[in-house]
Amino acid sequence: MKIPDLTNYEHLIGGFCGGVTSTVVCHPFDLLKVRFSANEGNPLRPQYTSYADAVRKIIRVEGVRGLYQGITPSVIGAAVSWGLYFQWYNTLRAKINEEFSTGSEMVSNFISGSVVGSAIMCITNPIWLTKTRLCLQYENQQTKKYSGMIDCMRQTVQQEGFFGLYRGFVTGVIGTSHGAVQIASYSWMLDKRREALGLPKDSFISQTDYTVASAISKTLATTVTFPYQVLRTRMQDHNTDSRGVWRTTLRTIQNEGFSGLWKGCVIANVRQLPAAIVVFLTYENVKRLVRMTENQG
């Protein structure tokens, strides 16, 4: 049986596989990040003294499956986001480099990442909203408000209208700077590494190079842009009445100081660093496999 040539979709397939793999492996860390970011001290929420304490309390009441609340929209969102992101990013970057002269590869990378990230946010914001709300259904609540992803979307539309699915959209668009910083620095580091090795652009290099580049780029992007994640989580939380970016920002700073904008940053790096490495390593290796289908069809 002939294998169809899939090289036109190598970025889409690689990103899709990377998003699914990283989410399945790292979702419990994501759940903890969301809960710590949302916790403004409300006594109605369970109060955790540490990440280990949170894991113990969740497992004691709901079992290990409690650590995987919200995994369905998370898998769908990650697969769609990373698949489209890599496909559109590489297409747009090539177009910008062909048609315009920005004077800097890093600038081209950043512009491409920002534009593509904003476009994808228009598609995926409802998915991320449901993930956040499902993750914030606590073990100390007598009954769960949502039974799953579809039920969460249905209730959100019924109670808040269609645009309720786009709560946190503005911060999400602002947050595309996260992906732009990450992909720009990742691409730049790989380009410089290939240049140092005397290899053509887009040629495959060692797994260690991919690992180092993904780790550094993710840590940089997460730490620099983390406040948007806190604000977005709080705006999407169904347990509070947060409204608007400015109001949520002021409330956070007044009650918790500027450090409140980085609440959950440690667990975010713990969670997102291995997830980023898994995403990019999976993406690069799946892309390599897809290229093997060239001229096979």
Side-chain angles (χ1 to χ4, degrees), residues 186-261:
Y186 177 79
S187 299
W188 181 82
M189 282 186 279
L190 293 188
D191 288 342
K192 290 299 180 183
R193 180 58 176 162
R194 292 185 182 106
E195 186 180 313
L197 294 172
L199 297 173
K201 253 189 176 182
D202 208 30
S203 56
F204 289 102
I205 49 181
S206 74
Q207 304 295 322
T208 301
D209 289 325
Y210 292 132
T211 301
V212 171
S214 59
I216 294 175
S217 62
K218 188 61 177 181
T219 301
L220 174 66
T222 298
T223 304
V224 170
T225 66
F226 191 73
Y228 99 86
Q229 296 191 45
V230 173
L231 298 175
R232 189 170 179 225
T233 295
R234 295 187 176 190
M235 290 174 66
Q236 293 181 338
D237 185 3
H238 61 282
N239 297 298
T240 69
D241 64 346
S242 294
R243 293 290 190 278
V245 179
W246 185 241
R247 177 180 168 185
T248 306
T249 302
L250 286 179
R251 178 185 294 177
T252 300
I253 294 174
Q254 288 170 354
N255 295 338
E256 303 163 66
F258 280 99
S259 62
L261 294 173

Side-chain angles (χ1 to χ4, degrees), residues 27 30-31 34-35 69-71 130-138:
H27 184 75
D30 199 21
L31 178 130
V34 169
R35 291 196 173 184
Q69 286 190 90
I71 192 171
T130 59
K131 185 209 82 170
T132 297
R133 293 189 169 183
L134 291 174
C135 284
L136 293 174
Q137 294 196 115
Y138 297 105

Side-chain angles (χ1 to χ4, degrees), residues 13-288:
I13 296 170
F16 182 94
C17 293
V20 171
T21 304
S22 67
T23 302
V24 171
V25 172
C26 302
H27 184 75
F29 295 111
D30 199 21
L31 178 130
L32 294 177
K33 185 265 291 184
V34 169
R35 291 196 173 184
F36 273 82
S37 293
N39 188 6
E40 74 292 77
N42 189 329
L44 295 178
R45 303 180 192 270
Q47 300 300 310
Y48 308 124
T49 59
S50 65
Y51 298 125
D53 179 56
V55 171
R56 282 195 300 269
K57 287 180 177 177
I58 293 170
I59 292 178
R60 186 168 62 238
V61 177
E62 300 182 297
V64 174
R65 65 179 297 177
L67 296 174
Y68 285 87
Q69 286 190 90
I71 192 171
T72 299
S74 191
V75 167
I76 295 172
V80 172
S81 295
W82 282 113
L84 293 179
Y85 195 96
F86 280 120
Q87 185 73 18
W88 291 353
Y89 166 78
N90 283 281
T91 301
L92 182 59
R93 183 174 68 148
K95 193 72 175 174
I96 289 176
N97 289 334
E98 179 185 334
E99 299 290 340
F100 307 99
S101 176
T102 63
S104 169
E105 188 76 15
M106 181 70 88
V107 172
S108 298
N109 294 346
F110 186 81
I111 292 173
S112 301
S114 298
V115 173
V116 169
S118 298
I120 292 173
M121 188 56 60
C122 294
I123 300 171
T124 60
N125 196 84
I127 300 174
W128 297 128
L129 178 132
T130 59
K131 185 209 82 170
T132 297
R133 293 189 169 183
L134 291 174
C135 284
L136 293 174
Q137 294 196 115
Y138 297 105
E139 66 276 6
N140 66 344
Q141 294 174 329
Q142 297 263 335
T143 57
K144 299 290 176 68
K145 184 175 181 179
Y146 309 116
S147 60
M149 176 179 170
I150 300 301
D151 181 55
C152 181
M153 286 187 171
R154 180 181 59 80
Q155 288 195 50
T156 298
V157 172
Q158 286 179 344
Q159 296 165 14
E160 305 171 44
F162 174 78
F163 289 105
L165 293 172
Y166 282 84
R167 282 183 73 175
F169 177 74
V170 174
T171 51
V173 170
I174 295 172
T176 58
S177 60
H178 174 109
V181 169
Q182 180 184 1
I183 197 71
S185 54
Y186 177 79
S187 299
W188 181 82
M189 282 186 279
L190 293 188
D191 288 342
K192 290 299 180 183
R193 180 58 176 162
R194 292 185 182 106
E195 186 180 313
L197 294 172
L199 297 173
K201 253 189 176 182
D202 208 30
S203 56
F204 289 102
I205 49 181
S206 74
Q207 304 295 322
T208 301
D209 289 325
Y210 292 132
T211 301
V212 171
S214 59
I216 294 175
S217 62
K218 188 61 177 181
T219 301
L220 174 66
T222 298
T223 304
V224 170
T225 66
F226 191 73
Y228 99 86
Q229 296 191 45
V230 173
L231 298 175
R232 189 170 179 225
T233 295
R234 295 187 176 190
M235 290 174 66
Q236 293 181 338
D237 185 3
H238 61 282
N239 297 298
T240 69
D241 64 346
S242 294
R243 293 290 190 278
V245 179
W246 185 241
R247 177 180 168 185
T248 306
T249 302
L250 286 179
R251 178 185 294 177
T252 300
I253 294 174
Q254 288 170 354
N255 295 338
E256 303 163 66
F258 280 99
S259 62
L261 294 173
W262 274 267
K263 205 166 189 178
C265 186
V266 173
I267 193 64
N269 271 303
V270 170
R271 182 267 175 190
Q272 292 176 0
L273 185 55
I277 293 172
V278 171
V279 166
F280 282 94
L281 281 179
T282 303
Y283 162 71
E284 297 290 356
N285 284 284
V286 169
K287 188 170 69 170
R288 186 196 298 249

